[in-house]
Amino acid sequence: MDEPTNLVQAKHILTIVIEDYYQVGSFQHLIPNDYWGRFESRLKRNVDVALALLERTNSTATFFVCGWIADYHPEIIKIIASKGHEIACQGYFHHNLESIPKAEFVKDIKRSKEAVERALGKQVQGFRIARGWLKPSQLWLLQELADMGFEYDSSLCRHGFQFASQPEYGVIHKHALANSSIYEVPVSSGSIWKWSMPIAGGNYWRQFPLWPFHKWIQKWVSSHQEPLVSYFHIWELDPNQPVISAASMLQKIRHYRNLATMQDKIQHYLQEYSFTSIQQHLDLPEPANVSATEQQNIDASRSPVLSKQADLTVVIPCYNEEQTLAYLKNTLQRFEQSSQGLFNLHYIFIDDGSTDNTMQCLQSLFGENKQTRILQHQRNQGIAAAILTGFAKVDTELLAVIDADCTFSPEQLIDMYSLLTDDVDVVSASPMHNQGSMQNVAYWRQSMSKGAAFLHSLVLHNKLTSYTSCFRLYRRHTIKGLQVTNKGFCGVTEILAKIDLAGFKIVEFPAMLEVRLLGASKINVIKTMLDHLRLVARIARMRLFGKSTTKDLVDKDEQRVE
């Protein structure tokens, strides 16, 4: 390998990953790439903080950005570049080299490079993988990067026992290839015997005391002619970011621990040392301009274009959902795009006596939509009561109910609608169906749903795999005059039971249920289990003794849809 020539040695190198709080590796198994657009972005806020920090310390940096962000937030890239910093790229999504086949990984990089260059208006010269570090068996990627026109890669770091016997891989070097070469700019690492770890930023600075890293950095600066290569993620500058409630305790520790101290740590080193970008250090020429190309439509519609849209009212009960409503708004916008031409959508939100700022957020986020009505209970009555309040205001022939927490994607209504044939009255979503699925859902919740389904199937006509999901598509005539005894979570099942007992046909849709990502569940498990047992008993008595005892399903406190 050849040593790089004509390098500026006066400054160290700073790289910054533009990554939002929901895109991080800690949550990659909870939040698929398709869901990124649902979250409230904090990129602009965090980039502004990073740029102000760099300006205070007279530092220049290389910002690595994925293609998805380039397509959805191109203005952020332009702001960074206008401040004199370098833009480089990661893959389009945050894949690692083990998650998809080699050919798909290379295709993802090409798509990202096109997206970033389209947003920037200039060619990009550098790349870094978004997940993990390159292993010795993965150095084939460098040839692919060189063939795409990249001048350098920064995906390597001596960590663990990787490259333990090859110290030259720990510093900037020119990697010789078959017919060309590419600069490798490894993140700086320190070693204990043959075991190595990054010493200049990231999760290591947040999880461990800073003094050993300070010693390592001092040793590096005093013993290396090559620059220290440091890095951080912009979400690490945001201690007030939303909490992904579905994350495990270990994931939360990895992601949230010591966020409040991270900005001071970064600022300390930016003040103590001088930092520049990779492009400036390698003395690369200014990147060439690229011609503007038409923006690709990434979210192509799945819905058919019909001559007549179906009017559909979506009823959404809300109780203390302040944290989830921005996520819900983005989710509904994606649903509107994917169902365009199929549904003419109306919304009814019911604030069920929330004690937080749910009502104010509803008004702020949805209040100006002419197709939206926002209702409010002065006190909390329960999810079933909120649903029936919404039912009473529906004036379309089709209506659906979805959870405000988006544990069911409303886009599934497109396929549910195809099951609503002339002889079907209700389509009920079921993750318990043999073709359905539950993603990261706690075992106790799965067991509770299975147990309730077994008991209710013993006493109801329609034999379903789930009766507890409130995610359903109804014909309006099925809810006319509907009454419920239980106004809480069990009332959701009671609504379906009353429709069943009235002789309507219910079919199931094999749905995907995902764990709640934001906010907290409101369900009282013990109370809900007892309520289900009482409901099954009342239905059994009615079936056994006839309709004259329908009062067993009704009490003086019942709620009715007029």
Side-chain angles (χ1 to χ4, degrees):
M1 295 183 187
D2 299 325
E3 290 298 319
T5 59
N6 195 28
L7 302 186
V8 179
Q9 299 293 342
K11 292 187 176 183
H12 300 287
I13 290 174
L14 176 63
T15 64
I16 302 173
V17 179
I18 308 175
E19 188 177 61
D20 226 331
Y21 62 96
Y22 52 83
Q23 297 174 317
V24 301
S26 300
F27 305 142
Q28 60 183 318
H29 299 301
L30 293 173
I31 304 173
N33 302 331
D34 289 346
Y35 281 23
W36 285 359
R38 297 182 176 191
F39 287 85
E40 179 183 16
S41 176
R42 295 175 70 85
L43 285 172
K44 178 61 167 59
R45 179 264 177 208
N46 295 336
V47 166
D48 286 346
V49 172
L51 292 175
L53 178 60
L54 296 177
E55 185 175 358
R56 286 197 305 272
T57 57
N58 195 29
S59 303
T60 306
T62 294
F63 285 77
F64 288 102
V65 60
C66 72
W68 186 92
I69 290 176
D71 272 337
Y72 284 92
H73 302 280
E75 71 287 351
I76 292 178
I77 293 176
K78 292 183 175 67
I79 290 172
I80 295 170
S82 71
K83 300 295 184 180
H85 303 287
E86 180 191 11
I87 298 293
C89 83
Q90 299 176 302
Y92 194 88
F93 294 114
H94 287 176
H95 297 300
N96 61 42
L97 277 165
E98 288 84 13
S99 62
I100 57 176
K102 290 182 180 180
E104 290 299 314
F105 195 88
V106 172
K107 183 179 178 180
D108 183 77
I109 298 173
K110 291 179 179 178
R111 181 184 179 188
S112 178
K113 189 172 187 289
E114 292 173 358
V116 176
E117 290 179 343
R118 184 166 57 245
L120 184 63
K122 294 179 180 293
Q123 293 179 347
V124 292
Q125 299 173 310
F127 176 80
R128 174 184 164 176
I129 58 175
R131 296 280 184 264
W133 307 104
L134 283 181
K135 299 176 182 178
S137 62
Q138 297 168 342
L139 294 179
W140 58 265
L141 180 64
L142 299 181
Q143 181 67 65
E144 297 287 349
L145 295 175
D147 291 344
M148 288 183 226
F150 287 105
E151 298 287 344
Y152 70 84
D153 171 69
S154 187
S155 304
L156 195 147
C157 177
R158 296 179 73 209
H159 66 289
F161 296 104
Q162 303 289 343
F163 303 103
S165 60
Q166 297 165 295
E168 65 272 20
Y169 280 97
V171 296
I172 297 177
H173 57 273
K174 185 175 283 189
H175 191 93
L177 302 170
N179 298 309
S180 60
S181 62
I182 188 171
Y183 282 116
E184 180 58 50
V185 186
V187 168
S188 299
S189 61
S191 299
I192 303 175
W193 296 99
K194 292 187 177 183
W195 186 88
S196 302
M197 65 183 292
I199 61 172
N203 193 38
Y204 298 91
W205 277 10
R206 288 188 290 109
Q207 300 299 337
F208 302 108
L210 202 55
W211 64 263
F213 298 100
H214 188 63
K215 295 290 186 183
W216 257 326
I217 290 172
Q218 286 182 325
K219 181 179 179 181
W220 178 287
V221 171
S222 63
S223 61
H224 286 79
Q225 291 185 348
E226 300 86 355
L228 181 79
V229 181
S230 183
Y231 75 103
F232 67 88
H233 305 79
I234 62 163
W235 57 262
E236 293 180 292
L237 303 175
D238 187 7
N240 298 317
Q241 62 190 261
V243 174
I244 304 301
S245 56
S248 68
M249 183 60 68
L250 183 60
Q251 289 169 329
K252 288 178 179 177
I253 290 173
R254 178 184 174 188
H255 184 77
Y256 299 110
R257 186 170 181 265
N258 293 331
L259 280 178
T261 65
M262 192 61 175
Q263 184 171 338
D264 289 341
K265 293 176 180 178
I266 295 170
Q267 182 166 311
H268 167 77
Y269 284 107
L270 295 186
Q271 290 172 334
E272 186 162 345
Y273 303 101
S274 293
F275 286 91
T276 189
S277 67
I278 297 175
Q279 177 195 354
Q280 290 177 342
H281 178 82
L282 295 178
D283 198 22
L284 298 175
E286 280 296 313
N289 293 331
V290 295
S291 59
T293 57
E294 185 178 353
Q295 176 78 24
Q296 295 178 349
N297 182 10
I298 299 161
D299 292 317
S301 173
R302 295 193 294 118
S303 61
V305 177
L306 303 180
S307 58
K308 183 179 179 181
Q309 294 177 312
D311 288 316
L312 173 66
T313 299
V314 182
V315 176
I316 308 174
C318 305
Y319 175 63
N320 288 349
E321 295 290 356
E322 177 185 358
Q323 296 181 45
T324 67
L325 291 179
Y327 179 84
L328 172 63
K329 180 179 181 180
N330 292 333
T331 301
L332 293 177
Q333 288 176 339
R334 290 171 64 88
F335 172 48
E336 290 165 6
Q337 293 171 1
S338 61
S339 65
Q340 188 175 9
L342 182 63
F343 295 130
N344 179 26
L345 291 167
H346 309 259
Y347 299 103
I348 298 177
F349 294 90
I350 307 94
D351 173 26
D352 187 26
S354 298
T355 57
D356 62 1
N357 293 319
T358 292
M359 188 61 183
Q360 295 92 319
C361 290
L362 286 172
Q363 294 287 0
S364 173
L365 294 170
F366 303 100
E368 295 184 0
N369 188 338
K370 295 180 179 180
Q371 301 288 74
T372 295
R373 281 181 282 183
I374 301 173
L375 311 175
Q376 185 178 36
H377 291 166
Q378 293 305 309
R379 60 179 180 84
N380 179 244
Q381 297 183 34
I383 186 172
I387 290 172
L388 293 189
T389 295
F391 281 176
K393 300 298 182 181
V394 170
D395 53 15
T396 60
E397 291 305 312
L398 292 179
L399 61 142
V401 178
I402 66 171
D403 298 279
D405 60 11
C406 302
T407 49
F408 287 102
S409 168
E411 293 181 69
Q412 294 177 96
L413 284 168
I414 298 170
D415 295 318
M416 292 171 68
Y417 181 52
S418 67
L419 299 181
L420 198 67
T421 54
D422 292 341
D423 62 332
V424 174
D425 301 291
V426 178
V427 179
S428 182
S430 173
M432 310 302 299
H433 191 282
N434 59 13
Q435 295 179 10
S437 64
M438 292 190 179
Q439 302 293 323
N440 302 302
V441 177
Y443 179 75
W444 66 264
R445 185 174 176 184
Q446 297 184 43
S447 300
M448 181 177 172
S449 297
K450 290 178 181 178
F454 171 74
L455 292 174
H456 288 294
S457 67
L458 297 177
V459 296
L460 293 174
H461 301 291
N462 290 275
K463 306 304 179 185
L464 308 177
T465 58
S466 175
Y467 297 85
T468 56
S469 163
C470 80
F471 183 38
R472 298 170 191 154
L473 180 62
Y474 301 86
R475 296 191 187 275
R476 188 183 177 196
H477 66 262
T478 63
I479 63 164
K480 188 173 180 60
L482 188 66
Q483 309 168 48
V484 297
T485 299
N486 190 297
K487 298 180 181 180
F489 286 94
C490 187
V492 174
T493 300
E494 188 177 344
I495 290 171
L496 199 65
K498 295 292 184 65
I499 292 172
D500 174 278
L501 295 172
F504 294 115
K505 183 176 179 179
I506 304 167
V507 299
E508 283 191 314
F509 170 75
M512 176 186 290
L513 171 68
E514 297 173 270
V515 68
R516 169 188 275 266
L517 296 173
L518 299 167
S521 174
K522 319 303 187 302
I523 191 170
N524 183 319
V525 177
I526 301 300
K527 181 181 184 302
T528 302
M529 291 174 62
L530 294 175
D531 286 345
H532 276 291
L533 291 173
R534 284 191 285 266
L535 176 59
V536 169
R538 288 199 299 272
I539 297 173
R541 286 198 300 270
M542 191 196 75
R543 294 287 305 276
L544 183 62
F545 296 110
K547 291 185 179 180
S548 61
T549 60
T550 303
K551 63 183 180 181
D552 287 334
L553 286 170
V554 182
D555 64 18
K556 63 182 180 181
D557 210 21
E558 71 188 7
Q559 176 133 350
R560 177 192 298 268
V561 174
E562 300 297 341

